[in-house]
């Protein structure tokens, strides 16, 4: 299956993509995680991307489309994937249609997770991430067993630089102006399912699986 996760910052795209990836045994591809990895490794692309990410802006389309095109052409994507954080501009959405056409595949579903702004801000300010495996936690809603330590791999947890309040507000503005229009784009194509993200994590996962025609 080829699935796109759409939704504002903090909606739970990464959290749900991780859960679905485990249950459905398909790859989770997050452009945000790819950029953060490149920043950590200090590659030329990472240093370029960091300038945009730190200010809450989008990395330029050409860069983003380039890394996605390369990733989706890899053999492990043939069985399907969950795209998290891509596309997020109309130009990227059209590029994705082109890339999938070249690979002789098509999108199966777009899952749009909607959550109100106040909840998003609370989720982002308490989010913690594993430095090693990118697993997601929240200090109140999904705390690790041992403070500051990843349950899955023992890695150290950190707070994303772009989860500072001011940057979060900028990311939400960017989302509303550049990414929200994709809801209409995919609805018109008959691919969109809206899921209420303001529920327990497990319930959100169940709703998504039901929308995809799979039982938990
Ligand atoms: P990216 O990493 O994609 O960030 P984002 O889209 O802003 O989304 P987030 O990762 O913040 O939120 P999420 O929906 O994954 O929520 P999560 O599951 O973590 O992008 C970062 C930057 O990279 C961009 O700003 C841009 O610069 C660049 N970039 C990336 N892709 C790009 C692209 N295509 N084009 C251009 N630039 C790009 O959950 C959030 C928190 O809430 C967690 O703590 C979690 O534990 C908690 N939580 C989750 N679900 C629930 C629930 N149901 N109940 C309670 N708490 C919950
Ligand atoms: Mg994410
Ligand atoms: Zn970890």
């Amino acid at each position: 299956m080829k699935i796109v996760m759409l939704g504002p910052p903090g909606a739970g795209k990464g959290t749900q993509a991780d859960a679905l990836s485990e249950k459905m045994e398909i790859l989770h591809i997050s452009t945000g995680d790819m950029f953060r990895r490149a920043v950590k490794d200090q590659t030329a692309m990472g240093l370029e991307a960091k300038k945009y990410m730190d200010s809450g802006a989008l990395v330029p389309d050409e860069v983003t489309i380039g890394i996605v095109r390369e990733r989706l052409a890899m053999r492990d994507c043939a069985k399907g994937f969950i795209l998290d954080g891509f596309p997020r501009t109309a130009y990227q959405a059209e590029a994705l249609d082109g890339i999938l056409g070249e690979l002789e595949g098509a999108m199966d579903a777009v899952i749009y997770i909607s959550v109100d702004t106040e909840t998003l801000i609370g989720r982002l300010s308490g989010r913690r991430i594993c430095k090693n495996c990118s697993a997601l936690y929240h200090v109140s809603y999904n705390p690790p067993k041992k403070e500051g330590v990843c349950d899955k791999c023992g890695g150290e947890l950190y707070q994303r630089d772009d989860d500072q309040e001011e940057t979060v507000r900028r990311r939400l503005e960017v989302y509303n102006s550049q990414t929200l229009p994709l809801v209409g784009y995919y609805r018109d194509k008959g691919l969109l399912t809206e899921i209420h993200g303001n529920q327990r994590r497990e319930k959100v996962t169940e709703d998504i699986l039901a929308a995809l025609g799979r039982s938990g």
Side-chain angles (χ1 to χ4, degrees), residues 8-15 28 30-33 36 84-85 88 124 127 129 136 160 171:
K13 301 181 295 296
T15 300
H28 170 192
S30 155
T31 43
D33 285 347
R36 280 184 289 278
D84 156 16
R88 50 215 266 177
L124 294 173
R127 172 165 58 189
I129 303 180
L136 293 160
R160 267 170 52 176
R171 283 162 59 205

Side-chain angles (χ1 to χ4, degrees), residues 33-47:
D33 285 347
M34 288 163 86
F35 286 135
R36 280 184 289 278
R37 171 79 44 189
V39 170
K40 192 176 158 199
D41 294 345
Q42 298 195 311
T43 67
M45 187 270 279
L47 294 175

Side-chain angles (χ1 to χ4, degrees), residues 3 14 24 50 55 58 76 91 99 142 153 167 175 190:
I3 303 166
M24 298 171 65
K50 187 175 183 343
S55 70
L58 295 180
D76 59 355
Y91 191 72
I99 294 170
N142 181 27
C153 77
T167 318
Y175 171 79

Side-chain angles (χ1 to χ4, degrees), residues 129-135 137 148-157:
I129 303 180
C130 175
K131 262 190 184 159
N132 181 44
C133 76
S134 305
Y137 298 90
V149 181
C150 178
D151 292 347
K152 294 191 177 129
C153 77
E156 186 191 337
L157 303 187

